[in-house]
Amino acid sequence: MLGSRYKDPDDVLDYTVDWSAWLGADTIVSATWTVPAGITQDLVTTTTTTTTIWLSGGTSGTNYTIGVRIVTADGRTKDESFTIRMRQS
């Protein structure tokens, strides 16, 4: 797990996972995000070494676990997740 991040329900923010240290010379060919009900996935982007998700909404006081699975050019699959802790600013 990649830890926790904080978000206000009114924020629209991006969250990036940098896979370069784990990948070595390998590259990302696809990424699939898992977002629970109650928070909105607005946009996702993927490069050969990073995955980014833009999130909006959510309910203050609620924690959401966001997951991402990558597949690499060499055929490896790797899952990671982090927690978004919703707090009203």
Side-chain angles (χ1 to χ4, degrees), residues 16-28:
T16 299
V17 179
D18 184 347
W19 303 85
S20 56
W22 181 81
L23 286 166
D26 203 356
T27 57
I28 298 170

Side-chain angles (χ1 to χ4, degrees), residues 1-2 5-7 9 15 19-20 22 37 39 43 45-46 48 59 65 70 79 81-83 86-87:
M1 184 162 210
L2 298 171
R5 293 141 191 211
Y6 291 91
K7 180 185 168 316
Y15 302 91
W19 303 85
S20 56
W22 181 81
I39 193 167
L43 176 70
T45 59
T46 303
T48 57
T59 302
T65 300
I70 63 165
D79 292 332
S81 62
F82 57 92
T83 300
M86 300 300 295
R87 303 292 182 264

Side-chain angles (χ1 to χ4, degrees), residues 5 7 11-16 43 45 52-55 82:
R5 293 141 191 211
K7 180 185 168 316
D11 294 341
V12 178
L13 298 175
D14 58 309
Y15 302 91
T16 299
L43 176 70
T45 59
T52 301
I53 189 168
W54 286 77
L55 298 171
F82 57 92

Side-chain angles (χ1 to χ4, degrees), residues 66-80:
I66 310 300
V68 59
R69 170 177 284 179
I70 63 165
V71 177
T72 72
D74 287 344
R76 298 186 290 169
T77 300
K78 177 79 170 150
D79 292 332
E80 285 291 352

